[in-house]
Every structure is written in structure tokens, then in C-alpha cells.
Amino acid sequence: MSRVLVTGAAGFIGSRITEVLRDAGHMVTGVDALIPAAHPMNAQPPPGVQRIDVADRQCMIEVMADVDVVCHQAAMVGAGVNAADAPRYARENDWGTAQLLAAMFETGRTRLVLASSMVVYGQGRYRDVDGDLVEHVPARRPDDLAAGRFEHVVDGRPLQWGLTGEDTPFAPSTSYAASKCAQEHYARAWTHQTGGSVIALRYHNVYGPRMPRDTPYAGVASIFRSRLAAGLAPLVFEDGEQMRDFVHVDDVALANLRAIEAIERLPGFTALNVCSGTPISIGTVARLLAEAARGPAPVITGDFRAGDVRHVVADPRLARDRIGFTAEVAPADGIVRFASEPLRAPSGLTT
């Protein structure tokens, strides 16, 4: 049994992690700043969670004095609205994590499970028509996108997506992605400076009950759900054939449990994909949700956004080998279930 401090404990993922840890017999202390990007205006912390900002180092020093492991989930997530969001991401994710790490050093805490993200990879891995790994994936050209040619092309031939392993170089394409890369860099440097242990869990597309609705800072599954709840068709960008790995929040919580229980035997810095291991297209996700909700069929818009990536499909093997994590919820089952699961009330930032 460990004493665990969970940051972001009132959030979509953090609240489920807290439940799973307690069910497994761990003692949990929860903190959350209840930032408007993730919570309704005037939200109050749930029972057992203190309203504390991780950037408040003195408060964090006091609250983590008697814990064994810190499970850092507090963050501002999502692609956001535009580049003007960059200061929010830098403040909530990078400054907050730096202060947390400083507080851990000052209190002698040496074990951290960090919520990272697949967005650090940018485009993910691709192979050419001969099956060889492409080291430098060319950016998609705006004129190709406008003409409906969405795949990456080399020498006139489209590339094929491959499994994205943890050794894939960082290539952030949004402010959020840049902030997650910075979090990992700070955490890795901290292990060298302190001798501590960090497991960075790179979540792929997380979905499930308690996702915030009606906000651009939520994941695409929540955005589809929000439109269906309003009687509107989900809007799918490009041609809907973008491939992703959707992982249920219950499996994300399980991965955190496995990491907390394994971190003592994993010194230094370890990064792991947290994924279902079953690729699925964005269009299929929209269709499954619409059918299960008996709502309007998705609309494939052909629109595209700067910074969007074409395919990111995770390799699940290292998480299985290092911490014994294997997802239990298949996307086709979990997404259908999600169509009728409750969403969180609208956040305080909706535009």
C-alpha cells in the first residue's frame, strides 16, 4: 500500500484514478485547482479533494510531506482554440510542473507518475511503399489539403502509418503538445538532478464518462458527444480516415495503478504509451457514437486545421513489458457505451 498524492484529482481522468487507487487499497490525497478550461464556473472540489494549485509551491510542500508517490494529472489539455492559448498551456502545464518538481525535491519525494500525451510525437511513425521506416515525414502541403489529398506523400506515393513507439522523436504541432514535451524534459532533468524515478504515461485519445462537454479543450470524442446531445451531427474533419488509438478512462486509471505499483523498480525516466492497442479511424468513432445515440449521421466536412496530424497509432508493447499494463476495454465496445455515459457540465471556457 502506498500513500499517493493525485493532482488534478477532480478532473476527468484524475477522479477515476483516485477511485481506482482507493479501491486497490492505496491511501490517496487529492488536490485540484479547478481551472476554467476543465471545470464549470464556480465549481467546488468534491469530497476528499483540496483546492490547491500545483504552482503554489508552499501549499504543495505541505500537502506532499507524507506521501510516497506523486501522480501528476493536473493540466490544461486539448488542441485549444488558436495560438493565443500558448500562455495558458505554459502556465498550467510547464510552470505548474516545474513548481511541483521543486516541491518534491524540497520534501525529499522521489517517485513521480506523470500524465503525458501522444501529442509529443506529432505525426507519429510512417513507412514507405516498400515497408521501410521514414525518418523525416514531410509536412502536408496546404494546396494538397485544400484539394482533399490528406495523406503524406514521398516521391508521389502515399506513406502508410506504422506503430508509434516511445523512441519516436518529439515533433509537437500545437501549444498543448509543446507544453507536454516541456513537462517530460523537466521531469527527465529532475531524475538526473535528484536520482528520483519518473514514469511518463503518454495517453492516447482518452474517452469515457465525466469528459467535459461543450468546450474546445476536450477530446474529439467529447466534442462529437456534445453535438449529438444537442441534436446535431458530429463534424468530422478531412475524410474521416485519420487513424488513432482511443483508450477508455478506466484503462488509463489502470495504467496509473500499474505504474505506481512498479515505479520503485524502474529508476530514472521511463516513457510509456497508454493505449488500447486497437487502431480506429476518427470517422468510425463518430459513426459508432451517432448510431449508439440514435442521432444524426456524421458529416465528413473535408475541412482541415493547421497543426492537425494525419495518423498516430500507438505501439502498446513497452507498457506491457515494463509495468504489466494491457488495456481491457476494446474501442468498439467502449465507444458505444460512451454514447450514453454522463458528461461533465460545460467548462468555464467555451470559446
Side-chain angles (χ1 to χ4, degrees), residues 90-335:
R91 194 276 176 197
E92 301 297 343
N93 297 353
D94 304 335
W95 177 245
T97 298
Q99 292 282 33
L100 173 72
L101 291 169
M104 290 184 67
F105 170 70
E106 292 182 29
T107 55
R109 305 304 100 191
T110 60
R111 287 178 260 173
L112 172 68
V113 174
L114 172 68
S116 187
S117 171
M118 46 79 77
V119 296
V120 300
Y121 299 129
Q123 296 294 344
R125 288 293 201 184
Y126 290 82
R127 296 186 179 275
D128 62 22
V129 293
D130 298 320
D132 295 326
L133 186 67
V134 178
E135 292 295 339
H136 302 288
V137 179
R140 298 184 294 172
R141 300 188 308 172
D143 56 338
D144 284 335
L145 295 172
R149 296 186 292 268
F150 299 116
E151 299 294 347
H152 292 276
V153 175
V154 171
D155 296 331
R157 297 184 294 182
L159 302 180
Q160 303 295 319
W161 60 264
L163 293 181
T164 301
E166 290 81 355
D167 60 346
T168 302
F170 283 2
S173 60
T174 65
S175 296
Y176 172 53
S179 76
K180 300 310 284 187
C181 292
Q183 282 186 304
E184 287 203 26
H185 286 315
Y186 276 115
R188 184 187 293 271
W190 177 87
T191 66
H192 291 300
Q193 292 173 304
T194 67
S197 298
V198 173
I199 299 178
L201 299 177
R202 293 174 179 167
Y203 303 158
H204 285 251
N205 292 70
V206 187
Y207 70 97
R210 303 178 195 161
M211 290 189 84
R213 63 181 174 89
D214 299 327
T215 170
Y217 301 96
V220 67
S222 174
I223 293 171
F224 289 160
R225 271 290 314 276
S226 296
R227 287 190 62 85
L228 287 165
L232 302 172
L235 300 179
V236 181
F237 285 179
E238 301 188 13
D239 58 1
E241 296 302 313
Q242 309 94 304
M243 296 300 294
R244 297 289 190 272
D245 189 303
F246 279 74
V247 57
H248 196 275
V249 68
D250 287 356
D251 282 325
V252 173
L254 176 62
N256 277 271
L257 173 64
R258 296 282 183 263
I260 287 165
E261 294 177 342
I263 194 168
E264 191 170 5
R265 57 180 172 78
L266 289 175
F269 183 91
T270 304
L272 302 172
N273 285 328
V274 174
C275 59
S276 70
T278 304
I280 190 169
S281 72
I282 297 290
T284 299
V285 171
R287 177 181 58 79
L288 289 172
L289 284 172
E291 291 175 353
R294 298 183 180 180
V299 174
I300 307 298
T301 67
D303 294 338
F304 58 92
R305 297 177 298 187
D308 275 359
V309 299
R310 181 59 176 169
H311 306 296
V312 185
V313 176
D315 189 334
R317 291 174 292 184
L318 194 61
R320 180 195 62 208
D321 295 343
R322 294 291 178 87
I323 63 172
F325 167 71
T326 300
E328 298 178 352
V329 182
D333 297 329
I335 289 165

